[in-house]
Amino acid sequence: MGRYERAAKTSLKEATALASGIITTVRHDLRREEVRLEEEMRERVESIQSILNEVASIQDAIIAGSSEVKRELEKAKKKLVKYGDRELMVTQIIGAANRLGELRTLHLDAVLRIQGALARPPSAVDIIERMTKDLLKLSGSWEASAREIDESIADVVDANAPIEMIELQRELTNNGYDLILAGDDRDPENIEKCRAKIRELSGEEISED
């Protein structure tokens, strides 16, 4: 086994270990974020659950009260038309107006309570924004680990030519092989052609470009 093959196997083994490590890290980080998200969302919902139930009961009571007052007002109106009982009608009108004021106060109070509960931090949006920022920070460390994997693989390929190949190039270039190739025709132009032939076939001109 050549040294490059050994280096490749070593680098791939290292890259595999690094990849396994980053997968474990990402899985752990995501699970931790998932657990935290579940807890925060549950706490958010539970924190306003009792208020929501109370407000819902108040709203139902407002609906029932409004309907009842309206029925009583309509009854009084019919009696006014039928019997001319104006005093009863006046009493019902004043009572209905007072009752409406009370119901409106209840409604406004319920609205304020639910708005206050919804505005209490952290909101669901705050929770998601927090998680997004955390994931961005975590992704930075994941990226650094991933870069190590790429670097360990890239180290296998050496951009520099092996010393053995360089020595072979020097052997062909510097030890008179162009003269041997020229044979008996030692004309400088022919020798240069032979030298150029060696460079062309050996790829020296390509590497120089």
Side-chain angles (χ1 to χ4, degrees):
M1 183 186 298
R3 68 175 183 273
Y4 278 97
E5 187 177 355
R6 288 195 299 271
K9 287 189 175 183
T10 300
S11 294
L12 289 174
K13 184 177 180 180
E14 179 183 352
T16 300
L18 289 171
S20 178
I22 191 174
I23 291 171
T24 300
T25 298
V26 171
R27 184 182 294 119
H28 174 75
D29 290 343
L30 291 177
R31 177 54 184 162
R32 184 178 58 200
E33 286 297 323
E34 180 185 3
V35 170
R36 184 176 178 184
L37 176 63
E38 289 176 351
E39 292 177 352
E40 290 180 345
M41 284 297 187
R42 183 176 63 253
E43 290 173 359
R44 171 60 176 169
V45 173
E46 290 176 351
S47 68
I48 62 174
Q49 184 174 1
S50 59
I51 294 177
L52 282 175
N53 291 336
E54 291 176 13
V55 169
S57 297
I58 291 172
Q59 294 287 52
D60 287 339
I62 290 172
I63 292 172
S66 298
S67 298
E68 181 182 358
V69 172
K70 185 180 178 182
R71 284 194 300 270
E72 293 298 324
L73 196 60
E74 289 174 347
K75 286 180 182 179
K77 187 177 180 181
K78 289 179 181 179
K79 288 182 178 180
L80 174 64
V81 173
K82 189 173 183 178
Y83 302 110
D85 194 346
R86 184 177 177 281
E87 289 186 7
L88 176 62
M89 189 70 228
V90 170
T91 301
Q92 287 295 334
I93 292 172
I94 298 301
N98 284 331
R99 185 58 178 153
L100 178 58
E102 294 172 356
L103 293 173
R104 191 183 304 280
T105 299
L106 280 175
H107 171 70
L108 293 176
D109 179 65
V111 170
L112 289 175
R113 291 183 65 186
I114 195 64
Q115 287 178 342
L118 291 174
R120 190 179 304 139
S123 67
V125 173
D126 293 335
I127 293 170
I128 294 299
E129 287 180 347
R130 188 276 311 159
M131 186 185 70
T132 301
K133 291 178 181 178
D134 287 351
L135 288 175
L136 285 174
K137 292 178 183 177
L138 289 171
S139 67
S141 64
W142 300 341
E143 184 178 336
S145 299
R147 192 173 292 109
E148 291 181 16
I149 297 174
D150 290 339
E151 289 173 354
S152 68
I153 296 174
D155 288 343
V156 177
V157 180
D158 190 352
N160 298 314
I163 186 64
E164 291 82 1
M165 193 175 81
I166 295 173
E167 290 175 350
L168 174 58
Q169 182 68 52
R170 289 172 180 168
E171 175 70 20
L172 282 170
T173 303
N174 301 327
N175 290 318
Y177 290 100
D178 51 348
L179 297 176
I180 296 174
L181 196 60
D184 295 334
D185 185 358
R186 297 304 178 92
D187 182 75
E189 184 177 348
N190 184 48
I191 293 174
E192 180 57 34
K193 286 182 180 179
C194 293
R195 188 176 297 127
K197 185 69 172 179
I198 292 174
R199 286 200 301 269
E200 179 185 356
L201 293 174
S202 65
E204 182 179 359
E205 293 181 351
I206 297 176
S207 62
E208 288 177 354
D209 292 342

